[in-house]
Structure formats: C-alpha cells, structure tokens
Amino acid sequence: EDCLHELFEAQVERTPGAVALTCDGQALTYFDLNAQANRLAHRLRGLGVGPDVLVGLCLERSNEIVIALLAILKAGGAYLPIDLAYPAERLAFMLADAQAPVLLTQRKLAETLPATTAKVLYVEEVLAEPAQAGEEMNPLPVAEPDHLAYVIYTSGTTGKPKGSLITHRNVVRLFTATVPWYGFNERDVWTLFHSCAFDFSVWEIWGALLYGG
C-alpha cells in the first residue's frame, strides 16, 4: 500500500548515513540522495507535476539519473526515460506520443534532443543553486499505489513503439513477491548496468534503494 519513494524515504530514516549511490568516485548517502531529490521534486511540483503527469528523463549515466528519477516520483509524477542511443526518429516519436509537459536533462544534451514543447529543467543547474528553506524536506505525498511510476516504450518491432504504463503497485509487488527468493538486504551492492529506458533497470535500482543496499 506504499509508493516506491515512500518506501525509499522509510529506508532513509533507518540508514541515513549508509552509502546509497556511487558513480565515478562520487558517493551519496541515503540522507544526501534524499535531500537532493527533494530539492528537485519541489521544483517539479512548482511546474505542475503530480499524479500521472509524465516527466521526460534524459541524462548521461551519473548519480543525477537516480536523483532525478526519485524527484519525479516524489513530486507525484511518472518518469519517461529517454535513451540518446535511440535513433532520432524514435526519440521524436516518443516525445510527441507521450506529450510529457516537463523534460529533465543536462544543458550539454539539449542540442541533441528533438524539438519539444515541454518545459525543460537542467538538473545540474537546479542542484547547483542554494537550497531554499524547506526544499530538502520530503514533499507531502500526493501519489497513490495505483498511480503511474514510469512509462517505458516497447522496441516497436511489430509496428510503432507503445508506451507500457507501470504503477507503483506493480513494482512494489515485484519485490515483495521475491524477497523469500533473494533475501534483499543492506549488504547488497547492485550495478545499474542497463539503460533506464530498459525495464530491467527497475530491478537494479529498487533492489538496492528499497533495502539499504
């Protein structure tokens, strides 16, 4: 009966000083990851992001991918991962088909993305700004378990790509159903091997963050 980000926030309370994420020698604790995601989430709320509102996510492989993903969920929205390795025609189709009103990216990537009417936020610039009062606190929850967590497009091998709509409840059930098999815990170290635009990345991200790994 909880959303993914709420379960993550509960883990933050349990192990705030534990390392949650590391990339290129830069590590973030659960507390720091949560605080940075909250700052971005409050900004997204201000742009109208809420339940079942899609936010495009296009970032280079970095800690900011997970910060941004968490921020979208905390704002109440759902993330639409965009992989720049895809052909330009596929990217343009996805952006037009999904009609996401907001896009999170990096300024250096902006010129490589198809034209969009979405409001664009540059993640690194938002996080570089001084935090305002209350911005690092968890936003008040607005999403419920049956709201969307993400939309990932199929490969389109049988026609046009189609967006698969996945709710928080779907993902939480994946892990609660498999705990007896794998015994997830805080000693686990997971590699985010896959692109966030491929659904196996969901297993890799939440297998760590829901259990203190």
Side-chain angles (χ1 to χ4, degrees):
E1 296 302 321
D2 293 309
C3 291
L4 286 164
H5 55 283
E6 293 171 327
L7 293 171
F8 167 74
E9 289 165 0
Q11 184 60 47
V12 173
E13 290 293 320
R14 290 190 291 270
T15 58
V19 173
L21 193 62
T22 182
C23 182
D24 293 333
Q26 295 185 336
L28 289 175
T29 64
Y30 274 82
F31 180 87
D32 292 334
L33 174 57
N34 192 54
Q36 292 198 36
N38 286 342
R39 290 175 58 193
L40 190 53
H42 285 289
R43 181 69 68 88
L44 291 171
R45 280 272 178 94
L47 293 177
V49 175
D52 293 341
V53 173
L54 292 182
V55 178
L57 179 63
C58 183
L59 298 170
E60 289 183 335
R61 185 171 290 270
S62 63
N63 285 338
E64 281 73 20
I65 288 179
V66 180
I67 293 170
L69 185 155
L70 278 167
I72 293 167
L73 299 186
K74 283 169 168 284
Y79 68 94
L80 171 71
I82 298 165
D83 191 335
L84 285 176
Y86 289 155
E89 295 80 8
R90 176 181 169 90
L91 296 180
F93 171 80
M94 287 170 54
L95 286 171
D97 186 62
Q99 298 182 359
V102 180
L103 173 65
L104 288 180
T105 188
Q106 293 157 304
R107 185 170 290 277
K108 63 183 176 181
L109 300 181
E111 293 183 359
T112 62
L113 287 167
T116 176
T117 58
K119 299 172 185 174
V120 179
L121 272 187
Y122 299 114
V123 173
E124 75 279 13
E125 295 179 8
V126 174
L127 296 178
E129 297 171 0
Q132 302 299 312
E135 276 191 337
E136 295 187 340
M137 303 295 290
N138 294 331
L140 293 175
V142 293
E144 296 183 355
D146 288 320
H147 283 128
L148 289 179
Y150 64 86
V151 174
I152 286 182
Y153 273 73
T154 63
S155 61
T157 52
T158 59
K160 288 184 177 179
K162 299 174 180 65
S164 300
L165 312 178
I166 308 298
T167 68
H168 287 266
R169 191 185 302 278
N170 293 142
V171 184
V172 172
R173 182 189 179 280
L174 170 67
F175 287 96
T176 56
T178 53
V179 163
W181 302 351
Y182 297 108
F184 308 113
N185 62 61
E186 71 283 357
R187 296 185 302 276
D188 294 334
V189 178
W190 293 71
T191 301
L192 180 53
F193 181 80
H194 295 87
S195 162
C196 287
F198 182 55
D199 60 2
F200 204 90
S201 66
V202 176
W203 178 258
E204 296 166 336
I205 292 168
W206 298 106
L209 296 183
L210 296 184
Y211 300 96

